[in-house]
Amino acid sequence: MYGDDETIRDILTGTGDTWAVVGLSNNEERAAYRVADKLRRIGKRVVPVHPKAEAVAGEQGYASLAEIPFPVDVVNVFVNSDLAGDVADQAVALGAKAVWFQLGVTDEAAYDRTRAAGLRMVMDRSAGREITRLELL
């Protein structure tokens, strides 16, 4: 298990309110869009990170984490597992406090590196489902 209830609750409620969602676009059919909506509903600022750098729900998008000109508390990752480790390393370099790999996104080496760098981390869990399970809405 890559994220106990205490860690999950802390990231969702106490780690900070600015979440960069890597892989977020305006495609309402994608899980990233639905999870971002739930994050906004619990008071999070959701910053889209996608190669197209499109705005989502009125929030300016960025092509990469490095382009975001303000502090990010949590990096939520919706990319293929083979790309996720690089995103986690970028989150560490960015100074994020936590990284969340969504359901189906796994990279044990990245999990270990991220935790060793002092960040909190959840892997292979849906933030949207956890918001519902923990009754945060």
Side-chain angles (χ1 to χ4, degrees), residues 42-119:
I42 64 167
K44 304 304 179 190
R45 177 183 185 188
V46 176
V47 180
V49 180
H50 189 278
K52 293 181 183 178
E54 62 187 330
V56 177
E59 184 71 46
Q60 170 64 47
Y62 298 90
S64 70
L65 288 172
E67 293 179 17
I68 300 173
F70 46 81
V72 169
D73 300 308
V74 181
V75 176
N76 193 2
V77 182
F78 282 90
V79 299
N80 292 330
S81 294
D82 59 337
L83 303 173
D86 183 52
V87 175
D89 294 340
Q90 291 174 42
V92 170
L94 183 71
K97 299 173 188 170
V99 175
W100 190 302
F101 282 7
Q102 279 297 135
L103 192 62
V105 180
T106 59
D107 182 330
E108 290 187 23
Y111 180 86
D112 292 341
R113 283 194 313 273
T114 302
R115 302 237 333 146
L119 281 70

Side-chain angles (χ1 to χ4, degrees), residues 7-68:
T7 299
I8 289 168
R9 184 177 293 279
D10 182 59
I11 292 173
L12 288 170
T13 64
T15 298
D17 291 331
T18 302
W19 286 53
V21 179
V22 180
L24 176 59
S25 71
N26 278 305
N27 184 344
E28 295 180 20
E29 302 299 314
R30 305 286 306 222
Y33 190 91
R34 293 187 303 273
V35 169
D37 181 60
K38 277 193 175 180
L39 288 167
R40 281 190 293 275
R41 288 170 47 205
I42 64 167
K44 304 304 179 190
R45 177 183 185 188
V46 176
V47 180
V49 180
H50 189 278
K52 293 181 183 178
E54 62 187 330
V56 177
E59 184 71 46
Q60 170 64 47
Y62 298 90
S64 70
L65 288 172
E67 293 179 17
I68 300 173

